[in-house]
Amino acid sequence: MLTRISALILTLTATASALDWPQWRGPDRTDLSKETGLLKQWPAEGPKQVWIFKNAGKGYSGPSIVGGKMFTLGTRDDREILIALDAATGKELWARPLGDVLGNKWGDGPRSTPTVDGGKVYALSGPGVLACVNVADGSEVWTTKMSDAGGQVPSWGYTESPLVDGSQVVVTPGGEKGAIAAYDKATGKLLWQSKDFTDGAQYSSIVPATINGEKQYVQLTMQSIVGISAKDGAVLWKHGFPGRVAVIPTPIVRDNQVYVTAGYKVGCIAIKIEPGNKVTPVFQNKEMQNHHGGVILVGDHLYGHSDGNGWVCQDWKTGDQKWAEKSKLGKGAIGFADGMFYCVDEKSGDVALIEASPNGWSEKGRFKLDPQSQIRSRDGRIWTHPVIVNGRLYLRDQDLIYCHAVK
C-alpha cells in the first residue's frame, strides 16, 4: 500500500513539475507547452479573466511560473525590480530592486524573463545586472554586472533571458573578453568566457543543445550563428548571419539542424551541423522575417509572424511557405499549448486562438485585452509573449498582468 501511495505521489510531483514554466520559452526553450485538456473553442466574450495585477510597472518581461509562484521584472520607484506573485490569485508576494531603470524610446524598463532553478531566481536587468535571489523572499544571493565581463549595453538594453544549465548560469555580455559567459550558479563566480567568440550582444537568448553528441550553447548575434562548448566556451562551429538593426528571435534546434530568423528584411537561415562540426546550409529565404514575436516548431512546420507576409507556416525541412495570413490578425507574439496557438496583436491587444495546423489559419475565438496600459510608451506595443501554464493564460501590457482560465 505504501509503495502504491509513494508511486502516486511521485507521479503527481512529476506532473506538477512538467507543467511549470521555469524560464523563457518554457522548460526546454522550445515554447511548446505540455498542457492538455484546454479549451479548443472560446466563448464569444473570450476565456474568463481570473485576475489582473496592476502594479508591475514598465517593461516587456515575461512570466516564469514555478510551484504556484509567478516571477517577472518591472519597475517601481525609479528602479528595475524582480516581482513574485501568487500565480493563482495575482497577489504580490515580494519585490526586489535590481538597479537603475533602462531608458528607451520604445519603452523604459526590463525586457528579459527570469529563470527559476532550485529555489533560486536568476534575472538580468535592462542595464545588465545579473542577480540571483531566493524564491522564498527575494533576498539576494549574489549579483554581477555584464560590464564586469566586458559587455556594453546594446541599444535596446539587455533582453536575454539567463540560461541555467547544470551548475552554471550562461548569458551573453558580448565583447572582446568573450561574447558568452558562464557563472557558477551558487556563487556568481565567473567560470569561463568564449574568448574566441567576441561579437557584441544582441537580443536573442541562448539555446542548450546536444549536436552530434556534444553539449553546446547555440546563440545568434548580428554577425553569427554559433555553437559554443558547454564545458569551456570554445567555439565548436560558426556560420555568418546578415543581421540588420536588431537580431531578436531565439534559435530553434532539432537534432543537428539549427534555424534562425530576424526582421528588417533579413529573413531566415537553416543549417545542419555535420560530424566534425562541418556547417552545411539547408535553406535561406525571406518567407519568415520574424521581428520579435517568436517562432515555434510544431511537428515539421514553423509558425510565427513574418514582416511583409503576415502569419506564416513554413516547412522545417525545405523552408517553403505552406500558408500565410495577413488580414485576420496584426503582427505580434505567439504561444502554443494542446494543439493550439495563442496569438497576440501587438497594436490592438486582440488575442486569437487558432489551430496549430499546416492547412491554414483556423480561428477558434478571440478577445481584446481590457483594460490596456496607460503608461506604455507611444512608440511601444504589447510585446510580452503569452504563456500557458496549469490551465491559465498569462498576458502582459506593461504594468498590467492578466490571467485567464483556458481549461
Side-chain angles (χ1 to χ4, degrees), residues 374-386:
Q374 298 299 306
I375 68 170
R376 191 192 324 138
S377 167
R378 183 175 64 178
D379 295 302
R381 301 288 186 268
I382 300 170
W383 284 329
T384 303
H385 292 210

Side-chain angles (χ1 to χ4, degrees), residues 237-255:
W237 55 267
K238 188 167 71 169
H239 185 75
F241 187 74
R244 298 192 191 108
V245 185
V247 172
I248 305 167
T250 298
I252 295 174
V253 183
R254 178 192 283 175
D255 299 326

Side-chain angles (χ1 to χ4, degrees), residues 154-235:
S155 299
W156 281 271
Y158 281 102
T159 72
E160 177 182 27
S161 301
L163 172 68
V164 178
D165 182 47
S167 62
Q168 55 193 23
V169 184
V170 191
V171 289
T172 311
E176 294 182 357
K177 291 184 178 180
I180 295 176
Y183 299 84
D184 184 290
K185 74 177 184 181
T187 66
K189 177 185 176 183
L190 181 64
L191 299 176
W192 54 254
Q193 281 188 258
S194 59
K195 59 183 177 61
D196 294 325
F197 176 59
T198 57
D199 287 8
Q202 276 290 294
Y203 309 99
S204 179
S205 292
I206 292 168
V207 173
T210 299
I211 300 176
N212 297 318
E214 193 156 14
K215 182 67 181 291
Q216 57 196 266
Y217 303 130
V218 178
Q219 179 60 300
L220 175 66
T221 67
M222 187 71 78
Q223 300 89 12
S224 311
I225 316 166
V226 67
I228 297 293
S229 170
K231 294 184 298 184
D232 55 12
V235 176

Side-chain angles (χ1 to χ4, degrees), residues 14 100 153 170 191 290 319 328:
D100 295 339
V153 181
V170 191
L191 299 176
N290 186 258
K328 297 292 196 322

Side-chain angles (χ1 to χ4, degrees), residues 247-293:
V247 172
I248 305 167
T250 298
I252 295 174
V253 183
R254 178 192 283 175
D255 299 326
N256 68 332
Q257 182 164 316
V258 178
Y259 172 95
V260 295
T261 180
Y264 303 100
K265 300 183 179 181
V266 171
C268 58
I269 295 176
I271 56 177
K272 283 190 175 179
I273 314 304
E274 307 288 1
N277 289 318
K278 177 186 176 183
V279 179
T280 302
V282 178
F283 62 81
Q284 180 174 355
N285 61 42
K286 297 186 178 180
E287 300 295 346
M288 185 70 79
Q289 302 175 57
N290 186 258
H291 188 192
H292 48 53

Side-chain angles (χ1 to χ4, degrees), residues 21 31-40 296 298 335-342 353-354 356 387-389 392 406:
W21 199 260
D31 220 350
L32 297 175
S33 170
K34 293 180 173 62
E35 292 281 317
T36 58
L38 304 183
L39 295 173
K40 296 303 177 73
I296 299 176
V298 178
F336 170 87
D338 198 17
M340 308 296 285
F341 288 123
Y342 297 70
L353 181 72
I354 71 166
V387 167
I388 307 96
V389 182
R392 302 287 177 89
V406 293

